[in-house]
Amino acid sequence: RLSPISFSAPPRSSLTARVLEAMILLPFLDQPLLLRACAPRHPAAVRASAAVEVPLELPGVTLAVQDSRLPGAGQGLFVSLADGADSATISSGEVLCGYCDESTLVDEATGDKAVPFAFGDAQKLVLLAGELMPLQRAIAGSGASSLHGHAVRRYGPGDAGVSVVPDSLTQRILVPWPGAPPASELGRGSLGQFANDLAFERGLLGRRHAALEYETASAASNSLSLVWELTLLPPRRGGGGAAGGMLVPSRVVLVTSRDISLTAGGSAVELGCHYGLQYWRVLQELGWLA
């Protein structure tokens, strides 16, 4: 099991509020449901030289970090058949790997791998006790009375409805601990940070129908979403009489958003993660896109 998130902040750095705003708007934070669709069958038997390879519990499947097929993207996350396997299918909704093993929550981001713990509504997917579900169900079903970094309001018959709003005071931006080991020393819990957005390309933002082009490309190219795993903390003693405990972030995981079918006879398949066009627009406005 992955190490829990620490709440002690390292030194602050320079990721701006505009980027964090874009990250909060990312589709992986907004998806009420995962799209279950059967992807094309990818030939995937021959693996290029990889910095690290990690076998999965899924029979016949191996994750690897190696050079991305995107120019200038550095390393990427790949999946391939294990030696001796003829075919394999990774189903939609499968927790494929973790984003990082060791991390902390801060109120300002450090580096380029920050992930905000911010929910604009309660229909976004989370992982609780090994099950994917909307945040509303996680709060109502667990009996939690609060959510880290958010104001929670219940409404409707029997308080069945739940709304959430991020606050401005609580540390709620995940950053990996500095000084992480090289990819060759990482395990399944940290491979997710290497997944690239395979739908974005240079020149896209200047096109008239950029949003439609991006969403179409992402549906075809990206197969992963980032999802927060939550843990329920018991109520504090003398905590004002709250009946339930608090749901807190435990880690970020990468979840498949569609079926991925692999067959023998080809190279490893790079797995893409949907960032959202707004993320790229903000980076361009800040001059961070070459």
Side-chain angles (χ1 to χ4, degrees):
R1 185 168 179 82
L2 302 185
S3 301
I5 291 172
S6 165
F7 287 85
S8 58
R12 295 180 180 181
S13 176
S14 60
L15 196 61
T16 69
R18 292 295 310 282
V19 175
L20 293 178
E21 177 185 2
M23 295 174 78
I24 291 172
L25 295 174
L26 292 182
F28 64 70
L29 295 174
D30 290 322
Q31 283 182 267
L33 294 172
L34 288 173
L35 171 64
R36 184 174 181 86
C38 186
R41 295 181 66 83
H42 302 286
V46 181
R47 298 191 293 279
S49 177
V52 61
E53 291 186 355
V54 178
L56 301 183
E57 288 87 350
L58 302 170
V61 178
T62 297
L63 281 181
V65 174
Q66 58 192 55
D67 290 341
S68 173
R69 65 178 175 83
L70 295 178
Q75 293 176 310
L77 182 65
F78 289 75
V79 65
S80 62
L81 290 177
D83 293 336
D86 294 324
S87 64
T89 297
I90 306 172
S91 299
S92 174
E94 186 77 36
V95 178
L96 201 63
C97 61
Y99 184 74
C100 59
D101 273 322
E102 299 288 345
S103 59
T104 185
L105 289 180
V106 298
D107 53 11
E108 289 187 12
T110 58
D112 61 355
K113 297 183 182 296
V115 181
F117 183 70
F119 297 90
D121 66 70
Q123 295 306 310
K124 298 167 187 176
L125 282 177
V126 297
L127 185 68
L128 180 64
E131 183 180 354
L132 283 169
M133 64 185 73
L135 177 60
Q136 175 174 347
R137 184 175 143 207
I139 294 174
S142 67
S145 57
S146 59
L147 174 68
H148 176 81
H150 295 72
V152 177
R153 184 176 69 87
R154 294 179 178 270
Y155 60 89
D159 286 339
V162 175
S163 66
V164 294
V165 178
D167 65 37
S168 59
L169 302 175
T170 310
Q171 294 176 346
R172 55 178 177 80
I173 301 167
L174 177 145
V175 292
W177 276 112
S184 59
E185 299 179 16
L186 297 178
R188 184 180 178 187
S190 289
L191 298 185
Q193 60 192 286
F194 293 97
N196 295 308
D197 186 342
L198 301 182
F200 183 78
E201 60 182 36
R202 296 180 188 277
L204 176 64
L205 296 177
R207 299 173 192 167
R208 181 179 180 183
H209 302 294
L212 177 60
E213 288 187 39
Y214 174 82
E215 293 300 330
T216 301
S218 185
S221 302
N222 291 324
S223 53
L224 299 175
S225 297
L226 289 171
V227 174
W228 280 96
E229 182 176 25
L230 305 182
T231 298
L232 179 64
L233 297 182
R236 294 182 179 179
R237 294 182 179 179
M246 173 185 285
L247 285 172
V248 299
S250 174
R251 61 172 178 165
V252 176
V253 297
L254 272 75
V255 176
T256 53
S257 53
R258 62 181 181 183
D259 290 357
I260 303 170
S261 296
L262 304 172
T263 57
S267 58
V269 175
E270 184 166 7
L271 299 175
C273 190
H274 187 131
Y275 289 2
L277 195 64
Q278 179 64 13
Y279 173 81
W280 296 108
R281 289 192 190 280
V282 171
L283 292 190
Q284 183 184 58
E285 291 175 10
L286 294 171
W288 291 8
L289 286 181

